[in-house]
């Protein structure tokens, strides 16, 4: 039996790889898990009662594009947050953004670009679905280093012109996972200009946009609109997972140009996994509410302050601008993760597990990613253990 070779280059998935690495004894009596970005703050109190009121909707097939009230709530969010008036036919509800980030490549990446194999660009480190999406459409994934030298954002403009001319899609996450860097308006303008020059699409993963320290991060779609760029040049992805502490609700959306969204809707009509109707009704109310988001952001503000107080003296430490991860410098991420687990019971993620080797270099090798999602006291204890184990 023959199997496809297109996924033969995939590494072991992040979490099985981490479990194997840390499958060693620890002398600690308690475990503090700071690996996964699974929000543990409270979600809005109205979710439970509202879901109960809509339970009858489970006996009906749900809308694949999104219920009218849900799409309207998503459009309302875009208007409040970015000043954008996006018609609902340019928005599609997603069963979490991961499937949307994948299906968008399936729907929108051409089989060839300028008569050659297309390229899909992505930052390195990166969210793994970007790479899998590129492989699935037969494109060449090009991993572009996002390091301290580039402000922890990829410098796509530094690529050779022939690579850019073959580029069909550029994935970018802002605020960045794992580094917490934010793409400025100037960065977006330069990238959109580059995409216009070389005729590629930008897939802007903005799932962390509502967790920020000072000013709200600029949005790619808003910048593109202000520039008068082709409406189909940018497709943004948003989610309730981080914004509203509802990763299990699996509600995100994509918004962009009418042609792009129509093609994505067409594909998902055949291959999509729509959100259940009662969950869509709940999600509509959550997207429409900003009070809980402000409260959630205040909790992360306090966590940023605690992290700065505990780790601010560490050479190379950079306080994140946004998001809820620390990207901490170490000599070797895997060795540091094992040492922490064995000595303290704290579990963190080696940075190399979020990155790919390019020309023998892995930009995540000298880092660990630490999630700030636990209750404040537990997080504070975990960060103190990290400091005392690795940096003193």
């Amino acid at each position: 039996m023959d199997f496809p070779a297109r996924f033969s280059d995939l590494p072991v998935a992040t979490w099985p790889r981490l479990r194997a690495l840390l499958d060693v004894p620890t002398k600690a009596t308690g475990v503090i898990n700071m690996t996964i970005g699974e929000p543990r703050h409270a979600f809005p109190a109205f979710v439970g009662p509202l879901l109960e009121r809509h339970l009858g909707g489970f006996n009906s097939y749900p809308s694949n594009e999104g219920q009218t009230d849900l799409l309207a709530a998503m459009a309302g969010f875009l208007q409040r947050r970015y000043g954008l008036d996006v018609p609902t036919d340019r928005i599609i509800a997603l069963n979490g953004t991961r499937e949307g980030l994948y299906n968008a490549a399936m729907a929108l990446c051409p089989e060839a670009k300028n008569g050659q194999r297309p390229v899909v660009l992505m930052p390195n480190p990166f969210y793994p679905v970007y790479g899998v999406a590129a492989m699935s459409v037969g494109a060449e994934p090009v991993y572009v280093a996002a390091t301290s030298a580039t402000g922890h954002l990829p410098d796509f403009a530094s690529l050779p012109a022939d690579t850019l001319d073959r580029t069909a899609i550029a994935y970018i996450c802002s605020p960045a996972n794992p580094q917490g860097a934010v793409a400025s308006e100037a960065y977006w303008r330069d990238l959109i200009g580059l995409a216009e020059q070389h005729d590629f699409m930008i897939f802007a993963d903005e799932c962390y946009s509502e967790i920020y320290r000072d000013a709200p991060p600029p949005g790619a779609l808003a910048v593109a609109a202000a520039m008068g760029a082709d409406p189909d040049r940018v497709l943004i992805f948003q989610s309730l997972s981080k914004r509203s502490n509802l990763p299990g609700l699996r509600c995100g959306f994509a918004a962009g140009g009418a042609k792009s969204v129509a093609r994505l809707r067409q594909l998902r009509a055949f291959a999509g996994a729509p959100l259940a109707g009662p969950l869509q009704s709940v999600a509509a109310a959550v997207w429409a509410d900003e009070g809980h988001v402000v409260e959630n952001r205040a909790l992360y503000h306090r966590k940023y302050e605690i992290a700065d107080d505990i780790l601010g003296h560490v050479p190379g430490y950079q306080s994140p601008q946004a998001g809820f991860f620390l990207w901490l410098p170490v000599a070797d991420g895997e060795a540091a993760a094992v040492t922490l687990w064995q000595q303290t019971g704290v579990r963190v993620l080696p940075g190399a597990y979020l990155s790919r080797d390019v020309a023998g270099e892995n930009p995540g090798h000298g880092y660990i990613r630490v999630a700030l999602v636990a209750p404040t006291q537990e997080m504070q204890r975990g960060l103190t253990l990290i400091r005392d184990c690795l940096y003193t």
Side-chain angles (χ1 to χ4, degrees):
M1 181 181 295
D2 293 329
F3 293 100
R6 58 183 172 270
F7 300 121
S8 59
D9 192 38
L10 282 178
V12 177
T14 301
W15 305 114
R17 189 177 179 187
L18 181 65
R19 287 193 292 271
L21 177 73
L22 300 185
D23 188 20
V24 292
T26 176
K27 67 180 184 181
T29 57
V31 175
I32 301 178
N33 191 349
M34 307 183 82
T35 58
I36 192 167
E38 183 177 69
R40 291 166 60 187
H41 295 171
F43 54 75
F46 60 76
V47 166
L50 186 58
L51 177 60
E52 186 173 8
R53 290 206 299 273
H54 288 277
L55 287 177
F58 279 117
N59 68 357
S60 301
Y61 284 116
S63 167
N64 198 60
E65 294 85 4
Q67 295 174 178
T68 301
D69 60 337
L70 176 58
L71 294 176
M74 291 165 170
F77 164 76
L78 291 174
Q79 205 290 321
R80 291 191 310 274
R81 176 65 169 81
Y82 300 108
L84 289 168
D85 292 318
V86 181
T88 55
D89 65 354
R90 290 174 52 191
I91 303 172
I92 180 170
L94 301 172
N95 197 330
T97 51
R98 179 168 58 179
E99 66 96 350
L101 289 160
Y102 181 85
N103 280 322
M106 299 294 289
L108 300 171
C109 186
E111 289 79 6
K113 175 74 183 295
N114 289 328
Q116 301 179 74
R117 183 186 181 193
V119 162
V120 173
L121 306 178
M122 63 202 74
N124 195 19
F126 64 101
Y127 187 33
V129 73
Y130 308 160
V132 173
M135 295 176 191
S136 296
V137 297
E140 177 187 350
V142 173
Y143 306 95
V144 183
T147 65
S148 58
T150 64
H152 291 295
L153 294 168
D155 181 10
F156 292 134
S158 68
L159 294 170
D162 61 341
T163 298
L164 292 170
D165 286 339
R166 288 196 296 126
T167 297
I169 294 165
Y171 282 98
I172 180 167
C173 184
S174 174
N177 169 13
Q179 310 97 321
V182 170
S184 66
E185 182 175 339
Y187 182 95
W188 282 124
R189 284 182 172 272
D190 289 345
L191 179 56
I192 293 165
L194 189 72
E196 295 266 73
Q197 179 185 351
H198 294 276
D199 191 26
F200 60 81
M201 289 191 68
I202 297 167
F203 287 180
D205 182 351
E206 299 182 346
C207 293
Y208 297 88
S209 69
E210 305 312 287
I211 302 172
Y212 53 83
R213 191 162 201 147
D214 299 312
L221 200 60
V223 175
M227 292 174 63
D230 180 344
D232 285 292
R233 187 64 61 195
V234 174
L235 192 65
I236 65 165
F237 299 83
Q238 278 280 352
S239 171
L240 290 181
S241 295
K242 282 73 178 176
R243 171 188 182 269
S244 302
N245 304 311
L246 284 166
L249 186 63
R250 307 311 304 142
C251 182
F253 71 84
K259 295 177 183 177
S260 301
V261 173
R263 286 179 174 273
L264 182 53
R265 284 185 170 196
Q266 182 182 30
L267 175 67
R268 291 187 79 258
F270 291 93
L275 192 67
L279 302 185
Q280 292 195 40
S281 297
V282 170
V286 179
W287 279 114
D289 182 72
E290 294 293 337
H292 75 278
V293 183
V294 174
E295 294 174 3
N296 189 45
R297 192 156 50 238
L299 294 175
Y300 283 113
H301 269 249
R302 178 58 185 146
K303 290 183 171 184
Y304 293 148
E305 293 171 351
I306 291 170
D308 290 350
D309 183 59
I310 293 173
L311 297 166
H313 74 285
V314 172
Y317 171 79
Q318 291 188 348
S319 186
Q321 294 175 270
F324 49 54
F325 295 116
L326 299 180
W327 190 236
L328 298 181
V330 291
D332 180 308
E334 283 191 321
V338 171
T339 297
L340 270 174
W341 168 243
Q342 290 183 313
Q343 298 298 319
T344 71
V346 175
R347 297 174 77 91
V348 299
L349 184 66
Y353 291 12
L354 298 168
S355 313
R356 294 299 295 269
D357 291 353
V358 176
E361 297 289 334
N362 186 309
H365 172 79
Y367 290 89
I368 53 174
R369 191 189 76 173
V370 181
L372 304 180
V373 295
T376 301
Q377 288 187 337
E378 180 182 340
M379 182 212 74
Q380 185 170 12
R381 188 162 63 90
L383 294 183
T384 301
L385 289 168
I386 290 172
R387 179 197 63 192
D388 293 347
C389 180
L390 298 181
Y391 299 110
T392 57

